[in-house]
Structures are given as C-alpha cells and as structure tokens.
Amino acid sequence: MQTNTATTPPAHTSLVAVGDSFTEGMSDLLPDGSYRGWADLLAMRMAARTPGFRYANLAVRGKLISQIVEEQVGVAAGMDADVIALVGGLNDALRPKCDMGRVRGLLTEAVERLAPSCGQLVLMRSPGRQGPVLERFRPRMEELFACVEQLAAKHGALVVDLYGAPSLADPRLWDVDRLHLTTEGHRRVAEAVWQTLGYEPEDTGWHVPPPATKPPGWTARRVADVRFTQQHLLPWIGRRLTGRSSGDGRLPKRPELLPYEGPA
C-alpha cells in the first residue's frame, strides 16, 4: 500500500496584522488610491481556503513601537485570532536618535501580550534594500532582529526572514521613496509568510532576485536622486524635525475582525 505523505494544510480561520506602513501596505497602490500590501494578499489567500475567514489590519504608517504597543497590541490581543502578525520597531531604529534598549523592552512587552492571545504569533526580520541608508543603520537593525529571534524562541513565535532574502535587498523591488516595497515586493512577502505558516508554496523562488536588467545610466540616476530628495527625503526630515508623523490622525484600514471580502 502506498503511504500518503502529503502535508495537511493549516486550518487558520482569522488573521490580525499589527505594525506600521510596511504592514499597512505602502506602496502597493490600488486604482482607488488605497494601499493593499502583503497582509491583505495573505488574507486573500487564506480566505480562499477557509470559508468565513476573518481579517483585521490595525497597522498605521509612521507608527513607532511605543505607539504600536499603546494603540494596537491590546486591541489585537482581545480579538482571539488564530494568527497575529507583528512587525514593529524599524521606524525607531531608522531615526537619528534611538534608545534601542527601550525599543527591545517595548517589543518584548508586545510579544508577551500577543503570544498567549492567539494560536500562532508571526514575527519578522524586516527587509532592507541595498544602499548607504541601510549600511548606516544596519547595526541597529540587526540588534532589533536578534531580539526578534530571542523572543520567538522563548514564546513559540514563527520568524519570517525577509532580511536574509536576496530578492528583497534588490532596489528594483522598492518604490521610488526607497522606504517601501513595490507591488511585486509585497507579493513576495506574502508568499514568504504563507510558506512559514505551513501552506504549500505557490512560488518557491520568492527569495531569488528578478533577472538582471541593464542598470539606469548616470543621468537617469541623478534625476531619480533629485526627485527622491524633493518628494520624499526632505518631507521625511521635516516631519522628524517637527515631531510629526505620516500616520497622525489616520485610522487603521481594517479595525475590526470581520469576514474578508477583498480590499477595503
């Protein structure tokens, strides 16, 4: 008799996403001007497999780990979800001044509150594109990711290693603001989380960079640098200097754990 060795697919019935712009879905822009992102894509896949699947996305762009803990963690913990995905702390690490000890403490608090409240907590080593910005903040990022690994081991969380994926370091998978992934980047993140949760792979090569293309010429690079500085870097610096955030006054796009029926 032939033995059936097929893996039984997970039976997750709900997902709650917690975090900042990465989890909100910037810059995976939909025709109506809203953002989709990896968490929505993951929910769409899970919903296709499980009738009545419920999904909430509490993430808001610009949020620091203290704001995530204060505004999102308690709400998420009270939803009794099968899966909670938490990504936070990178906005803190990318600021000129950052108390990494405080960041680690707040991330620990978040994990300690969320892990007992769900069937499976998912954490991430966030992606980082190649370039001088990453090199400047790499030690902080790796300190944050070491904390993620330690907390996951202690609390039984899964870790999705996006930081170690060559594809997500490729500048072509990042938007013109150089801070957020493109639509293709978000698709690959959704695939990575999907596989980490135990689902059958739909793209076994999500971590492999796209085929090589001819790099842009000197003039095109300089034009892109000027556009990036004017449209993204200077406004970002302005917000830092004035204590403002791109998420000020913004509400989560999916604040309740409801049946998933596609983009909001």
Side-chain angles (χ1 to χ4, degrees):
M1 176 188 292
Q2 185 177 7
T3 302
N4 184 0
T5 59
T7 302
T8 302
H12 300 124
T13 62
S14 54
L15 167 68
V16 177
V18 175
D20 51 34
S21 59
F22 172 67
T23 302
E24 182 185 345
M26 296 174 72
S27 290
D28 183 9
L29 193 63
L30 293 171
D32 65 358
S34 65
Y35 291 109
R36 182 177 54 180
W38 67 265
D40 283 16
L41 290 168
L42 179 65
M44 179 174 63
R45 287 194 189 183
M46 297 169 82
R49 193 179 276 266
T50 305
F53 181 85
R54 297 175 300 150
Y55 171 52
N57 190 324
L58 308 179
V60 176
R61 66 195 70 173
K63 294 299 182 180
L64 302 173
I65 187 63
S66 60
Q67 295 169 311
I68 292 172
V69 170
E70 179 180 352
E71 300 168 11
Q72 301 177 32
V73 167
V75 177
M79 288 182 167
D80 193 28
D82 277 355
V83 179
I84 296 179
L86 165 66
V87 188
L90 197 58
N91 280 338
D92 300 79
L94 294 178
R95 292 200 167 201
K97 295 182 180 180
C98 174
D99 182 348
M100 286 302 297
R102 183 169 182 268
V103 172
R104 293 195 308 272
L106 287 165
L107 183 61
T108 299
E109 178 185 345
V111 170
E112 289 177 345
R113 292 171 64 184
L114 291 174
S117 74
C118 65
Q120 182 62 67
L121 180 63
V122 177
L123 307 175
M124 295 190 195
R125 285 162 45 93
S126 304
R129 60 168 283 163
Q130 298 170 349
V133 174
L134 175 62
E135 292 307 315
R136 177 181 177 185
F137 295 105
R138 186 185 295 275
R140 287 184 189 172
M141 293 175 64
E142 294 186 347
E143 182 179 348
L144 177 66
F145 298 155
C147 180
V148 166
E149 295 280 5
Q150 293 164 4
L151 289 170
K154 182 176 180 180
H155 296 280
L158 298 173
V159 178
V160 185
D161 185 15
L162 306 174
Y163 183 67
S167 62
L168 297 178
D170 191 318
R172 292 173 296 172
L173 267 66
W174 292 77
D175 193 44
V176 293
D177 67 2
R178 305 181 185 181
L179 288 174
H180 301 106
L181 291 169
T182 62
T183 295
E184 174 61 13
H186 280 283
R187 184 197 68 78
R188 291 175 184 243
V189 171
E191 178 67 33
V193 183
W194 173 262
Q195 292 184 26
T196 301
L197 284 169
Y199 293 98
E200 188 71 21
E202 295 186 12
D203 176 11
T204 57
W206 70 266
H207 57 287
V208 179
T213 56
K214 183 179 179 180
W218 184 92
T219 300
R221 294 199 304 271
R222 297 294 78 79
V223 169
D225 288 342
V226 170
R227 182 181 298 116
F228 161 71
T229 300
Q230 294 176 341
Q231 297 181 2
H232 302 287
L233 181 59
L234 292 178
W236 183 86
I237 293 173
R239 291 194 297 271
R240 300 290 81 75
L241 292 176
T242 57
R244 294 178 293 116
S245 167
S246 58
D248 289 346
R250 185 175 295 274
L251 298 176
K253 63 182 181 180
R254 292 183 178 274
E256 298 181 78
L257 188 60
L258 297 173
Y260 180 75
E261 298 176 351

